[in-house]
């Protein structure tokens, strides 16, 4: 430095001492400067004061010589001490050169700069608040300084500044938040610790309402919550906990919607529990305000439901979120816009923007896959939210299109966990219950996936899926479809709807339960597609067919299920499948507890409706001869059963055929046919029952089933009476109580002819498949 240069009013001795390499000499110079500035203060000579500060800043603190910079820093601190309460008038000139030295490569000089600033701030106290942002910016850099002495000095300055902010009521939070929002995304651990400590301090000051600006820093807080440092995570948890307490105290002033969108983008394991906890509180506190953004919430919540016990807390929080959100959907959400009044037809300022075509793919749904990016990257996609006041909360719009898209996407995703799939199906069922009219607009797009879900490996998933399909098939909202969703031509399906079937299967009048659901236009579509799926996936029919049909009989009226399937199978071209399906249906009919009422209805055939049902089943049951005989046994058409068995001699007796006869013998010994076995006691009035059973016995080879049935027939009393009596005498001798009404008499000859026609088709198809059409008399060698 040029010592001959004029530095007045600083004396040459002061200048020389400020440039000295010894700290003690620079300290002596600082005391002289302090004395000089006090004199100027006494004289109220601000010009000279500014001149001294300017010389110390430009000629010393910003000098190229390191000792000069150290002298300038201690000189500026001395000026501040001398100025006392008046230092606030010169803070800009005092602070700026000191902050510049924070970037010096010499760690000792950075320490002296920190020491100088500490003295300046200590004297000025609250007067430094207008310069808080530059001080905070400088301190945030020193917080990550590699030198421990510098870090220690910055911590002292940091505590002093925090004390000043805590004591003051003039802190400019509006000006500070943009800087905080910027610095909160730092990846440096020390910088993060510095940031989070300041947020904790500001949150504790009663006069500072940081909650209003929480949406601007919440994403950054969750980023910090994922830090690898346990101490930083713990501090961040404390901060978030304080914010959540305040939210619970003053929910009316909280911007729930904006923060809900931030929460859904965080799926990191370390922060997901906190995000789910916050989301749960938001839903419970804000209520229907969050409904427009429910698709984004579900995107974040649903995957968490399949977590194992290692993430039990997160799973429970997500489950609570899901349950609370589901309860917000009410029947009023099913009202069309034109029904809610002209005011609702106008777009709301706070509603999420619609995309072209009104597909409503909201930004929050998109956020579900933006886990790795920061909020600053996705802000352009955020809809403009504002918290609805209490008067508007009842007028919020359910984002049904967005919800359905999220649910459908999870069903299509093969990696979706079982509990998530169950939750998705529960949501669909809930939406069909609460908003059926709007949901039926989505039914055609959902229907294929719901049918595919029947192949799921989980029984619980299949049960929920069947509940949804049953609701679709029976909901009154599906009776008429203005959107034309049921206009698809049935000719496009492999299984055809019989003539007159589109009106839906006839519901029994006399025997129907009062709770029998009325079937809509989707019922037959469901039955057709279900049978089509069984046809294409034989494993599904084999492993889950009975389970699915039994559950449908519980959810929908059993008669409707069997009547419709029989109608459809009557037109089935794949005769092998038709036979297998009839065998499955027959086994369910004869063995399932769910079919008790239907069996009783068919047992006596005492009503015209039950006779019509029998004829409908019979025509389809003819695809399987043994099933047809068992149906006759169930309905006590013993003579017709005997006539059918007589025809078995003309059929191709295969191993599968004999196995079915074997199963029928086993069924005769089951509780289902207790009444049939008791009728064997009345030999005179049931001769054709006995002859039919002997017919089965003659069909069987010498097997266990043969021995079982033979032993049963040996128990029939008085075999002498087994001879056939004259039919007219038989009818006259039969007790009046056992006669069926006259209108129940059916044309059994027509039924036998139908049986012959069906069996001829089966025989022809089998011969074509086996290449044995030229050898119709060839029999199976046992």
């Amino acid at each position: 430095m040029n010592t001959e240069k004029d530095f007045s009013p600083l004396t040459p001795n002061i200048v020389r001492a400020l440039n000295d390499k010894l700290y003690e000499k620079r300290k002596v110079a600082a005391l002289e400067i302090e004395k000089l500035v006090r004199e100027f203060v006494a004289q109220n000579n601000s010009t000279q004061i500014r001149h001294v500060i300017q010389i110390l800043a430009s000629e010393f603190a910003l000098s190229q010589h390191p000792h000069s910079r150290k002298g300038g820093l201690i000189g500026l601190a001395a000026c501040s001490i001398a100025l006392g309460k008046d230092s606030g008038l010169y803070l800009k000139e005092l602070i700026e050169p000191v902050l510049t030295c924070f970037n010096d490569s010499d760690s000792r000089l950075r320490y002296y700069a920190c020491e100088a600033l500490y003295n300046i701030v200590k004297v000025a106290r609250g007067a430094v608040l207008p310069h808080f942002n530059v001080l905070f910016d400088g301190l945030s850099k020193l917080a990550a300084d590699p030198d421990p002495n510098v870090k220690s000095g910055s911590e002292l300055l940091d505590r002093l500044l925090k004390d000043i902010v805590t004591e003051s009521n003039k802190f400019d939070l509006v000006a500070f938040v943009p800087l905080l929002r910027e610095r909160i995304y730092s990846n440096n651990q020390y910088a993060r610790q510095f940031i989070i400590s300041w947020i904790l301090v500001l949150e504790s000051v009663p006069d500072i309402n940081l909650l209003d600006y929480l949406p601007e820093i919440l994403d950054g807080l969750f980023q910090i919550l994922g830090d690898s440092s346990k101490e930083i995570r713990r501090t961040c948890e404390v901060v978030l906990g304080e914010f959540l307490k305040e939210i619970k105290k003053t929910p009316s002033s909280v911007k729930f919607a904006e923060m809900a969108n931030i929460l859904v983008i965080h799926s990191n394991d370390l922060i997901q529990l906190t995000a789910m906890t916050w989301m749960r509180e938001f839903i419970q506190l804000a209520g229907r305000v969050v409904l427009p953004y429910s698709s984004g919430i579900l995107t974040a919540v649903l995957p968490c439901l399949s977590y194992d016990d290692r993430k039990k807390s997160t799973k429970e929080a997500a489950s609570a979120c899901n349950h609370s959100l589901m309860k917000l959907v009410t029947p009023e959400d099913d009202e069309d816009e034109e029904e809610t009044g002209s005011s609702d037809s106008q777009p709301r300022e706070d509603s999420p923007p619609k995309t072209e075509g009104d597909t409503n793919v909201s930004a929050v749904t998109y956020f579900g896959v933006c886990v790795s990016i920061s909020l600053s990257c996705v802000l352009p996609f955020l809809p403009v939210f504002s918290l609805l006041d209490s008067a508007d909360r009842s007028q919020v719009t359910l984002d049904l299109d967005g919800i359905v898209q999220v649910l459908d996407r999870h069903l299509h995703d093969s990696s979706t966990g079982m509990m998530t799939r169950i939750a998705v199906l529960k949501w669909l069922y809930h939406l069909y219950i609460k908003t059926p009219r709007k949901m039926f607009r989505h039914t055609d797009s959902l229907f294929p996936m719901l049918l595919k879900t029947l192949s799921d490996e989980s029984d619980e998933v299949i049960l929920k899926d069947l509940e949804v399909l049953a609701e679709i098939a029976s909901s009154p909202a599906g009776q008429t479809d203005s959107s034309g969703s049921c206009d698809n031509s049935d000719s496009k399906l492999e299984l055809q709807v019989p003539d007159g079937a589109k009106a839906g299967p006839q519901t029994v009048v006399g025997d129907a339960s009062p709770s029998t659901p009325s079937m809509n236009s989707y019922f037959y579509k469901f039955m057709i597609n279900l049978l089509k799926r069984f046809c294409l996936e034989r494993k599904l029919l084999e492993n889950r067919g009975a389970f699915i049909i039994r559950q449908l009989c519980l959810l929908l009226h059993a008669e409707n299920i069997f009547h419709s399937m029989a109608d459809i199978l009557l037109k089935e071209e794949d005769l092998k499948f038709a036979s297998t399906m009839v065998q499955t249906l027959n086994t369910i009919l004869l063995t399932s507890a769910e079919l008790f009422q239907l069996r009783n209805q068919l047992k006596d055939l005492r009503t015209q409706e039950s006779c019509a049902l029998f004829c409908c089943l019979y025509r389809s049951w003819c695809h399987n001869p043994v099933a047809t005989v068992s149906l006759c046994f169930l309905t006590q058409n013993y003579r017709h059963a005997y006539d059918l068995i007589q025809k078995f001699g003309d059929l191709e007796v295969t191993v599968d055929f004999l196995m079915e006869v074997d199963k029928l013998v086993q069924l005769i010994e089951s509780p289902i046919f207790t009444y049939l076995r008791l009728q064997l006691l009345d030999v005179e009035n049931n001769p054709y029952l006995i002859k039919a059973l002997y017919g089965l016995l003659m069909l069987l080879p010498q097997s266990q089933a043969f021995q079982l049935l033979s032993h049963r027939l040996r128990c029939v009393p008085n075999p002498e009476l087994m001879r056939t009596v004259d039919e007219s005498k038989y009818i006259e001798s039969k007790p009046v109580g056992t006669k069926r009404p006259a209108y129940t008499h059916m044309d059994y000859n027509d039924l036998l002819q139908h049986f012959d026609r069906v069996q001829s088709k089966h025989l022809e198809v089998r011969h074509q498949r086996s290449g044995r059409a030229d050898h119709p008399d060839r029999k199976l060698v046992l």
Side-chain angles (χ1 to χ4, degrees):
M1 174 176 288
N2 187 3
T3 56
E4 297 180 357
K5 189 176 180 180
D6 185 14
F7 292 103
S8 60
L10 297 182
T11 66
N13 289 335
I14 293 176
V15 172
R16 191 179 306 110
L18 286 176
N19 287 310
D20 200 280
K21 65 178 181 179
L22 296 177
Y23 173 76
E24 293 299 328
K25 290 187 177 182
R26 295 196 300 271
K27 185 176 180 181
V28 170
L31 293 174
E32 291 296 324
I33 292 173
E34 180 182 348
K35 181 179 178 181
L36 180 63
V37 173
R38 288 186 188 275
E39 292 176 0
F40 291 145
V41 171
Q43 299 167 7
N44 199 21
N45 191 344
S46 59
T47 302
Q48 286 291 67
I49 295 174
R50 292 187 186 278
H51 188 50
V52 169
I53 295 174
Q54 191 273 331
I55 292 173
L56 291 172
S58 60
E59 300 297 334
F60 289 89
L62 303 179
S63 171
Q64 297 298 318
H65 195 278
H67 298 311
S68 298
R69 291 200 296 275
K70 295 173 184 176
L73 290 171
I74 197 170
L76 289 172
C79 287
S80 176
I81 294 171
L83 288 168
K85 62 180 182 179
D86 293 330
S87 63
L89 301 174
Y90 309 94
L91 278 177
K92 187 175 185 299
E93 294 89 340
L94 291 168
I95 290 174
E96 286 184 354
V98 177
L99 290 175
T100 302
C101 293
F102 278 9
N103 300 317
D104 199 282
S105 59
D106 186 350
S107 62
R108 287 196 57 81
L109 201 141
R110 295 197 302 274
Y111 175 79
Y112 286 131
C114 190
E115 184 182 52
L117 189 58
Y118 178 88
N119 287 308
I120 294 171
V121 171
K122 186 175 182 180
V123 171
R125 302 296 294 184
V128 301
L129 290 179
H131 308 277
F132 179 81
N133 278 13
V134 293
L135 295 173
F136 183 87
D137 183 57
L139 271 176
S140 65
K141 297 174 183 176
L142 291 185
D145 197 284
D147 187 273
N149 291 326
V150 176
K151 282 184 62 178
S152 177
S154 68
E155 290 171 0
L156 289 174
L157 177 57
D158 181 53
R159 284 198 290 271
L160 173 62
L161 203 55
K162 285 174 180 174
D163 290 340
I164 294 171
V165 170
T166 304
E167 296 168 0
S168 174
N169 58 359
K170 297 180 180 179
F171 182 74
D172 190 354
L173 185 61
V174 176
F176 172 63
V177 166
L179 178 61
L180 178 61
R181 184 177 60 229
E182 175 190 344
R183 293 303 170 89
I184 202 170
Y185 287 104
S186 173
N187 291 324
N188 184 279
Q189 288 190 351
Y190 297 108
R192 282 183 164 183
Q193 183 70 59
F194 173 76
I195 291 290
I196 202 70
S197 67
W198 266 102
I199 293 175
L200 186 60
V201 168
L202 294 176
E203 171 62 14
S204 66
V205 179
D207 294 333
I208 298 177
N209 188 11
L210 194 56
L211 186 62
D212 288 345
Y213 302 93
L214 183 56
E216 299 189 50
I217 63 173
L218 186 61
D219 179 70
L221 285 172
F222 276 99
Q223 296 280 355
I224 294 175
L225 190 60
D227 194 272
S228 58
S229 168
K230 186 175 182 180
E231 183 180 353
I232 293 176
R233 292 200 306 271
R234 187 183 299 113
T235 306
C236 192
E237 288 174 359
V238 172
V239 171
L240 288 169
E242 291 300 317
F243 275 123
L244 194 55
K245 289 179 183 178
E246 193 170 346
I247 287 172
K248 292 179 180 179
K249 291 178 182 178
T250 58
S252 60
S253 61
V254 179
K255 300 173 183 177
F256 289 104
E258 296 180 47
M259 290 188 286
N261 281 325
I262 296 169
L263 294 176
V264 300
I265 72 173
H266 290 285
S267 61
N268 183 285
D269 292 347
L270 294 172
I271 63 178
Q272 202 169 50
L273 173 58
T274 304
M276 287 297 108
T277 303
W278 275 60
M279 187 68 72
R280 178 187 62 199
E281 297 297 337
F282 280 16
I283 295 172
Q284 293 175 353
L285 294 171
R288 287 178 59 85
V289 170
V290 302
L291 272 183
Y293 322 110
S294 48
S295 59
I297 297 173
L298 285 176
T299 300
V301 167
L302 288 174
C304 301
L305 301 178
S306 294
Y307 285 170
D308 54 26
D309 288 342
R310 288 174 296 179
K311 301 179 183 178
K312 184 178 180 181
S313 298
T314 303
K315 180 179 179 180
E316 290 175 350
S319 179
C321 288
N322 183 60
H323 182 68
S324 298
L325 187 63
M326 188 179 292
K327 289 199 300 184
L328 297 180
V329 181
T330 62
E332 71 184 56
D333 293 310
D334 201 29
E335 297 177 0
D336 291 326
E337 291 182 1
E338 57 268 18
E339 295 178 2
T340 58
S342 59
S343 61
D344 291 338
S345 64
Q346 301 297 324
R348 298 182 58 85
E349 294 181 359
D350 49 14
S351 62
K354 305 289 184 180
T355 60
E356 185 176 353
D358 197 31
T359 56
N360 196 21
V361 184
S362 64
V364 289
T365 303
Y366 177 75
F367 288 161
V369 296
C370 297
V371 176
S372 62
I373 59 178
S374 67
L375 185 61
S376 60
C377 298
V378 298
L379 276 175
F381 299 100
L382 274 169
V384 179
F385 301 126
S386 62
L387 185 65
L388 304 178
D389 57 35
S390 58
D392 292 332
R393 291 195 178 199
S394 61
Q395 300 177 12
V396 294
T397 304
L398 175 68
D399 179 22
L400 186 62
D401 293 345
I403 291 176
V404 171
Q405 285 184 358
V406 172
L407 299 177
D408 187 52
R409 185 170 69 247
H410 278 88
L411 276 184
H412 276 86
D413 188 355
S414 59
S415 64
T416 300
M418 182 190 72
M419 296 308 298
T420 298
R421 296 198 300 278
I422 292 173
V424 166
L425 293 168
K426 285 182 177 180
W427 259 103
L428 289 173
Y429 181 77
H430 184 71
L431 292 173
Y432 271 108
I433 294 293
K434 298 297 182 181
T435 60
R437 290 190 299 171
K438 288 185 178 180
M439 277 301 294
F440 266 94
R441 302 170 188 171
H442 300 277
T443 299
D444 276 354
S445 62
L446 292 170
F447 206 66
M449 195 60 219
L450 290 171
L451 286 167
K452 185 178 180 181
T453 306
L454 292 174
S455 303
D456 196 277
E457 59 185 14
S458 167
D459 287 349
E460 194 171 352
V461 171
I462 294 176
L463 281 174
K464 294 302 176 184
D465 189 41
L466 289 172
E467 288 182 10
V468 178
L469 287 166
E471 183 59 30
I472 292 175
S474 61
S475 173
Q479 294 287 6
T480 57
D481 192 0
S482 59
S483 65
S485 61
C486 292
D487 292 340
N488 295 333
S489 174
D490 290 321
S491 62
K492 297 179 182 179
L493 301 169
E494 294 180 11
L495 298 169
Q496 305 295 320
V497 178
D499 295 336
K502 287 189 178 182
Q506 181 180 2
T507 304
V508 177
V509 176
D511 297 325
S513 168
S515 61
T516 300
S518 59
M519 300 300 108
N520 59 33
S521 53
Y522 274 94
F523 176 76
Y524 246 81
K525 185 176 181 180
F526 175 30
M527 293 296 104
I528 289 172
N529 282 277
L530 178 60
L531 288 175
K532 178 180 178 181
R533 193 153 197 88
F534 284 152
C535 182
L536 296 176
E537 295 185 35
R538 298 301 173 89
K539 283 290 184 182
L540 175 63
L541 175 60
E542 180 182 342
N543 299 331
R544 299 291 181 82
F547 171 72
I548 290 173
I549 294 170
R550 287 170 59 190
Q551 294 304 317
L552 284 175
C553 289
L554 289 175
L555 296 167
L556 302 169
H557 198 40
E559 180 182 345
N560 289 330
I561 301 297
F562 274 76
H563 197 299
S564 61
M565 286 190 170
D567 277 344
I568 299 167
L569 288 171
L570 195 59
K571 300 289 185 178
E572 174 58 43
E573 297 179 358
D574 187 341
L575 299 183
K576 185 176 181 180
F577 166 70
S579 177
T580 304
M581 193 68 222
V582 164
Q583 183 183 1
T584 302
L585 290 171
N586 186 67
T587 302
I588 295 170
L589 176 64
L590 294 179
T591 60
S592 300
E594 297 85 354
L595 277 297
F596 175 79
Q597 183 178 345
L598 185 59
R599 283 196 297 270
N600 280 345
Q601 184 179 337
L602 289 168
K603 181 179 176 180
D604 296 323
L605 298 180
R606 291 185 176 276
T607 66
Q608 188 173 4
E609 289 80 8
S610 61
C611 290
L613 177 61
F614 166 73
C615 290
C616 175
L617 296 180
Y618 180 93
R619 293 183 180 277
S620 287
W621 260 233
C622 286
H623 283 297
N624 188 296
V626 179
T628 312
V629 170
S630 65
L631 180 65
C632 292
F633 281 158
L634 175 65
T635 57
Q636 302 184 68
N637 282 298
Y638 300 136
R639 179 167 183 171
H640 192 69
Y642 171 71
D643 292 339
L644 288 174
I645 293 173
Q646 288 287 89
K647 293 180 175 291
F648 282 6
D650 299 327
L651 302 181
E652 184 178 22
V653 179
T654 65
V655 173
D656 290 339
F657 179 88
L658 292 176
M659 288 179 64
E660 290 180 34
V661 176
D662 189 295
K663 291 178 182 178
L664 177 56
V665 172
Q666 302 293 335
L667 282 173
I668 290 172
E669 295 297 322
S670 70
I672 298 296
F673 282 113
T674 300
Y675 67 91
L676 180 147
R677 298 195 300 274
L678 289 175
Q679 286 174 349
L680 292 174
L681 296 173
D682 189 0
V683 178
E684 182 179 357
N685 288 327
N686 295 291
Y688 286 102
L689 168 60
I690 298 173
K691 297 185 72 173
L693 293 178
Y694 267 106
L696 291 179
L697 186 67
M698 295 302 107
L699 285 172
L700 289 168
Q702 297 286 324
S703 61
Q704 183 178 359
F706 178 91
Q707 298 297 331
L708 186 65
L709 183 56
S710 176
H711 181 73
R712 173 64 64 185
L713 289 172
R714 284 199 299 269
C715 295
V716 175
N718 200 357
E720 293 287 331
L721 300 178
M722 289 175 58
R723 65 182 179 275
T724 306
V725 298
D726 183 73
E727 184 175 353
S728 60
K729 293 180 181 179
Y730 164 70
I731 296 175
E732 291 174 1
S733 64
K734 194 172 184 179
V736 178
T738 62
K739 289 184 178 180
R740 291 174 178 167
Y743 63 77
T744 65
H745 285 262
M746 291 166 280
D747 188 349
Y748 288 102
N749 288 328
D750 179 66
L751 296 178
L752 284 173
Q753 291 174 9
H754 178 77
F755 178 84
D756 289 338
R757 289 193 297 270
V758 172
Q759 291 308 309
S760 296
K761 289 182 181 179
H762 277 268
L763 184 61
E764 180 181 353
V765 170
R766 283 198 296 271
H767 285 169
Q768 289 175 354
R769 288 179 176 174
S770 62
R772 298 184 298 165
D774 296 333
H775 305 281
D777 296 330
R778 184 176 177 182
K779 299 296 183 180
L780 178 69
V781 178
L782 299 177

